[in-house]
Amino acid sequence: MRVGLVEDHHLVREGVRLVLSAVPGLEVVGEAAGGAEAFALVEAMAPDVLLVDVTLPDADGIQLLRAVRTRFPRVALIALTMHRDAETVRQALLAGAAGYVVKGARASELVDAIRAVAHGDRYLHSTVTGVVVEDSLRWLHAGSPLSVREREILGLLAGGSSPVEIGHLLGISPHTVRRHIANLAAKIEVRGIAGLVAYARAHDLVREPG
């Protein structure tokens, strides 16, 4: 089973490589320190599974997951991250990750995740399964497929605010806002800002800034 790794910290890459190289049937065929190298890695080495850190210095890991999934649909993706919040888990899964493993996981858990996604299954680390269940229940009780933060961003966007303005109002970066917007379009299956605005108006979500 061929495994690729996208991770900017050398020590983490080295540790993962040492762990996986000791497992029969697993081979680390390539490593990338950032998003710019990730596509070259996949094209050159054709891994069965790609581990992707969602926090990279030169790229948005969530967007990278989505781009790799679109361009190389046969590669199984695992988000490898320190983040355990529901929002990041949801975004990673929506972007195409079949697995989600936190960096505090045991080596055996990472191996289990790789084997699971390589065989077409999903894998969520035990520390985030509860978060995912609670998040899903909140959606059900709210009667909406959107999280509170997504509804806020969509409402402000429909009200005429730019990503920079939305970020300022909500205390998050414009980059994070743009990532939310891309995820929103994928989640509610619309195209572009016009589609998002139309959805917001139809569901009475428009929010004027200020």
Side-chain angles (χ1 to χ4, degrees), residues 65-156:
L65 285 168
R66 181 177 291 107
V68 172
R69 180 64 176 170
T70 299
R71 189 168 171 183
F72 305 99
R74 294 185 179 181
V75 178
L77 301 172
I78 294 177
L80 181 63
T81 176
M82 62 182 177
H83 299 291
R84 306 183 185 203
D85 60 286
E87 191 70 28
T88 303
V89 177
R90 186 189 319 117
Q91 289 184 13
L93 296 179
L94 285 171
Y100 195 99
V101 179
V102 299
K103 289 184 177 178
R106 295 190 298 271
S108 60
E109 293 173 317
L110 178 58
V111 172
D112 287 344
I114 291 171
R115 287 174 171 161
V117 302
H119 288 93
D121 297 324
R122 289 189 176 273
Y123 183 96
L124 292 178
H125 188 256
S126 58
T127 58
V128 300
T129 51
V131 170
V132 172
V133 170
E134 290 176 5
D135 192 49
S136 298
L137 289 173
R138 280 198 298 271
W139 284 10
L140 290 173
H141 291 316
S144 170
L146 306 181
S147 68
V148 173
R149 175 50 56 87
E150 288 171 333
R151 290 166 68 89
E152 288 177 331
I153 290 173
L154 182 56
L156 288 167

Side-chain angles (χ1 to χ4, degrees), residues 142-177:
S144 170
L146 306 181
S147 68
V148 173
R149 175 50 56 87
E150 288 171 333
R151 290 166 68 89
E152 288 177 331
I153 290 173
L154 182 56
L156 288 167
L157 183 69
S161 298
S162 69
V164 172
E165 292 168 333
I166 294 171
H168 179 73
L169 287 167
L170 300 181
I172 57 179
S173 72
H175 185 72
T176 298
V177 173

Side-chain angles (χ1 to χ4, degrees), residues 52-73:
V52 179
D53 184 358
V54 301
T55 307
L56 296 168
D58 68 337
D60 183 326
I62 300 296
Q63 297 287 14
L64 179 60
L65 285 168
R66 181 177 291 107
V68 172
R69 180 64 176 170
T70 299
R71 189 168 171 183
F72 305 99

